[in-house]
Amino acid sequence: MNSDENYLQALLNYKNAEFNYQKSLNMLTPYISLTPSLNLKQQSGNNTTLELQTPLSIELQNINGLNIKSGITFDLSYDFNSSFSNTLNLSIILTNSEIFQENTEQLSALSDYLSKTWLLTSAKNQLFLQYLKDYFNAYYLNEKLGILNKQLDNKTSVYNSKERQYNNGIISESDFIQSKIDLLTTRNDILNISSQLSGIKLQKPSKEEINLLLQLAENIKNKLPTLDEAISKMSKRPDIESLQIDVQLSRINLKNYSIQRFNPSIFFSATYPTSLDKIFSSSNTNISVGFSFSIPILDKGENKNNMDNLNKQLEISTVKLNNTIESLKLSLKNAYTQLDIYLNNLEIALLKSEQQRLSYERMVSNKNYYAQTDLSLAQLNYLLSVLEVENAKFQVLVAALNIYNLIGLDIYSYFGGELSK
C-alpha cells in the first residue's frame, strides 16, 4: 500500500481531517504563548534604559462562538542612572460575534472526517481487491499457461499429421484448415496469458493456499446480507453520513444568516494594571462591557443574494445526498445481479467439467480406438475445465467482496486478516 500514491494521499487527508475533528472537540484546550522581548534604549541626556517585557497570553477560541483571551504582562525597566521599576498588567477579554447562532465548527469537521474516512476505506478496499486478483491470477494464469503449452505440443503434432494427410488426399481441406485454426488459437492464448503474467509481480501460490482461499470464498458468500439489508447498511456508510451532515449544515447556515445580517456581538474586558509591590493593594481596575448590532437599511442586493445562495446550497446538498443514495442503490442491485451471473457461470463451469471428465473417461476405456494425441488433448481439456471451475469460484468471491465494499465495509480490515492466515 505504501507504494500507491492514491492511498498515501487518502491517508494524509484522513489524518488531517481526524486532527481537525479532534481539535474541534477540545474546545477547552487553551492556546498559551509567551513572547518575551529585551530592548535597550538610548535617550537624550545620556540616559540609557534596559527594558524586559514578558507578555503571557492564554486564549480559548470558539467555545460555541465565545472567545476568551487573558494575559499577564510583566515589564521590567532598569535605568542605568537611577534604579529598577516594574509594571504588571492583568487582563481578560471576552468576545462573541456569533451570539444567538448555532456553532457549526464541530459539524463541519465531522463531515470532513467522515468523508475522508470513506475515501481512505475505499482506497484500501480497491488495493486489497487488486492484490487478491493478482494473487489468484498468479496461480490461475501459470496453471493455464502450463496446460496450454502441453496442448500446443499435442496440437502441433495433430497439425503436422493433418498436413501430411491433406497432401496425400486423405482428409478434406476443411479439416486441415480447422487443425491450423486450433493451433493458431492456442498460440494466441499462450501469448495473451504470458502478457498478463508479465504485469503480476507476485509469486505463484500453492494449490493448498488457493484451496483455502476458495473455501473462505464460500463462507464469505454465505454471510452476504439480502439486497434490502444491504441497502439499509449502505445508508450508514461514512460518506453518506457526511452528506447528511452537509444537509444539516446548510439548514443551520441558512438559519444563522438571518441573525448574522444584523451582526450582533458582545464584548467584555477587564484590566488590572499594577506593580509587584502593589499587586494586592492597587484599586486601578478598568472594566468595559458592550453589546453591538447593525440594522441593514439599504444595500446593493448582497443580503438577498446571500440568502438566495444559502437556499440554493441547501437544495444542492439535498439533491446530492438523494442522487448519491439512488446511485448506490442501483450499484447494489447491479452487484447482486452480477453475483447471480457469476453463480450461474460457476454452475455452467461445473457441468462443463463433468462433461469433460465423462468424455475423457469414455475415451480412456476405449483407448485402442484413439490416437495418443487425442487422449492427451482430452485429458488436458478436462484439467483446463477443472481450472475454470476454480476461476469461476474466485469470480464469485470478487463479486461478493464488491457488495461488501458498496455497503461500506472495510474489507481489508475485516477479511484481509482472515484471508492472509
Side-chain angles (χ1 to χ4, degrees):
M1 284 191 178
N2 290 331
S3 61
D4 186 86
E5 61 179 285
N6 293 327
Y7 167 75
L8 293 176
Q9 185 63 57
L11 180 61
L12 175 62
N13 293 340
Y14 166 79
K15 288 184 175 180
N16 286 331
E18 182 184 35
F19 170 78
N20 290 330
Y21 176 56
Q22 292 298 329
K23 186 178 73 171
S24 72
L25 298 178
N26 297 329
M27 294 184 298
L28 299 180
T29 301
Y31 290 90
I32 302 176
S33 62
L34 180 65
T35 314
S37 63
L38 184 65
N39 300 305
L40 182 65
K41 294 182 178 181
Q42 178 71 43
Q43 300 175 345
S44 60
N46 296 324
N47 188 19
T48 304
T49 304
L50 181 66
E51 294 182 349
L52 173 65
Q53 296 179 330
T54 56
L56 177 67
S57 173
I58 303 174
E59 187 172 4
L60 294 172
Q61 293 184 354
N62 200 12
I63 306 177
N64 291 327
L66 179 65
N67 295 308
I68 304 174
K69 183 174 183 179
S70 62
I72 303 174
T73 303
F74 177 68
D75 295 342
L76 179 64
S77 177
Y78 175 69
D79 187 340
F80 287 91
N81 295 325
S82 56
S83 60
F84 286 98
S85 63
N86 66 85
T87 58
L88 183 67
N89 190 54
L90 307 177
S91 66
I92 182 169
I93 300 174
L94 284 75
T95 60
N96 190 341
S97 58
E98 297 180 10
I99 187 173
F100 309 129
Q101 300 174 47
E102 187 173 348
N103 188 267
T104 58
E105 181 183 7
Q106 284 187 17
L107 278 178
S108 296
L110 178 58
S111 173
D112 187 51
Y113 171 66
L114 291 171
S115 174
K116 298 303 188 297
T117 297
W118 170 245
L119 290 177
L120 177 61
T121 299
S122 179
K124 288 167 61 180
N125 285 350
Q126 295 307 315
L127 282 175
F128 178 66
L129 285 171
Q130 187 58 54
Y131 170 81
L132 211 56
K133 291 175 183 177
D134 289 346
Y135 178 80
F136 177 79
N137 284 332
Y139 164 82
Y140 167 70
L141 294 177
N142 272 300
E143 287 288 311
K144 190 171 185 177
L145 185 62
I147 294 173
L148 289 176
N149 278 322
K150 291 178 181 179
Q151 281 188 336
L152 182 65
D153 293 338
N154 282 275
K155 289 183 178 181
T156 300
S157 298
V158 170
Y159 171 73
N160 291 334
S161 176
K162 295 283 186 181
E163 185 178 28
R164 288 192 299 270
Q165 292 175 346
Y166 172 69
N167 291 333
N168 293 327
I170 299 175
I171 64 172
S172 67
E173 184 178 7
S174 175
D175 289 341
F176 172 63
I177 290 175
Q178 185 59 51
S179 67
K180 190 170 186 178
I181 290 174
D182 290 343
L183 179 63
L184 292 175
T185 299
T186 302
R187 284 178 179 173
N188 275 344
D189 291 341
I190 290 172
L191 290 173
N192 285 329
I193 290 177
S194 298
S195 176
Q196 293 178 57
L197 277 172
S198 65
I200 298 176
K201 308 303 180 184
L202 299 177
Q203 291 185 347
K204 177 186 173 182
S206 67
K207 177 69 173 177
E208 291 74 19
E209 290 172 324
I210 291 300
N211 286 340
L212 177 61
L213 174 64
L214 296 180
Q215 180 183 350
L216 290 171
E218 183 67 21
N219 297 335
I220 290 172
K221 177 183 70 68
N222 292 336
K223 294 178 181 178
L224 274 174
T226 65
L227 176 59
D228 290 338
E229 290 172 340
I231 291 175
S232 177
K233 291 177 181 293
M234 178 206 66
S235 64
K236 298 181 177 63
R237 255 176 53 163
D239 59 328
I240 298 299
E241 291 183 337
S242 173
L243 292 175
Q244 290 170 341
I245 291 175
D246 288 344
V247 173
Q248 184 181 353
L249 282 169
S250 296
R251 291 195 178 100
I252 293 173
N253 290 334
L254 187 60
K255 176 183 174 183
N256 283 347
Y257 185 71
S258 62
I259 300 172
Q260 287 174 0
R261 60 186 302 193
F262 297 103
N263 196 25
S265 178
I266 59 172
F267 174 85
F268 172 82
S269 173
T271 59
Y272 181 66
T274 184
S275 59
L276 288 178
D277 55 334
K278 299 179 180 179
I279 189 170
F280 296 112
S281 58
S282 175
S283 60
N284 189 16
T285 302
N286 300 317
I287 297 178
S288 175
V289 179
F291 172 76
S292 66
F293 63 95
S294 63
I295 302 176
I297 298 175
L298 180 65
D299 61 23
K300 297 181 180 180
E302 290 89 350
N303 280 326
K304 182 180 183 304
N305 183 66
N306 290 338
M307 185 66 75
D308 290 343
N309 286 339
L310 289 171
N311 276 303
K312 185 59 68 175
Q313 186 57 50
L314 174 58
E315 180 183 353
I316 291 172
S317 57
T318 302
V319 169
K320 184 177 181 181
L321 171 63
N322 293 334
N323 287 348
T324 302
I325 291 176
E326 290 305 313
S327 176
L328 285 174
K329 285 181 179 179
L330 180 60
S331 296
L332 269 174
K333 291 177 182 178
N334 290 338
Y336 274 89
T337 300
Q338 197 66 36
L339 176 62
D340 288 339
I341 291 173
Y342 283 126
L343 287 171
N344 289 335
N345 288 343
L346 174 57
E347 187 173 357
I348 292 170
L350 287 167
L351 292 172
K352 285 183 175 181
S353 181
E354 181 64 12
Q355 272 186 329
Q356 293 293 337
R357 184 186 68 81
L358 293 172
S359 176
Y360 173 60
E361 289 180 351
R362 184 171 58 252
M363 291 178 69
V364 169
S365 64
N366 298 279
K367 60 183 179 181
N368 293 332
Y369 298 98
Y370 295 96
Q372 185 58 44
T373 53
D374 292 334
L375 289 171
S376 296
L377 284 172
Q379 182 185 27
L380 291 171
N381 286 336
Y382 169 62
L383 293 176
L384 194 59
S385 70
V386 172
L387 187 63
E388 292 304 325
V389 169
E390 293 176 330
N391 182 46
K393 288 180 179 179
F394 179 74
Q395 297 307 322
V396 170
L397 168 64
V398 172
L401 290 177
N402 184 51
I403 291 174
Y404 281 115
N405 177 53
L406 287 171
I407 290 173
L409 189 67
D410 185 344
I411 58 176
Y412 173 78
S413 299
Y414 193 75
F415 293 119
E418 186 176 4
L419 291 171
S420 64
K421 288 179 182 177

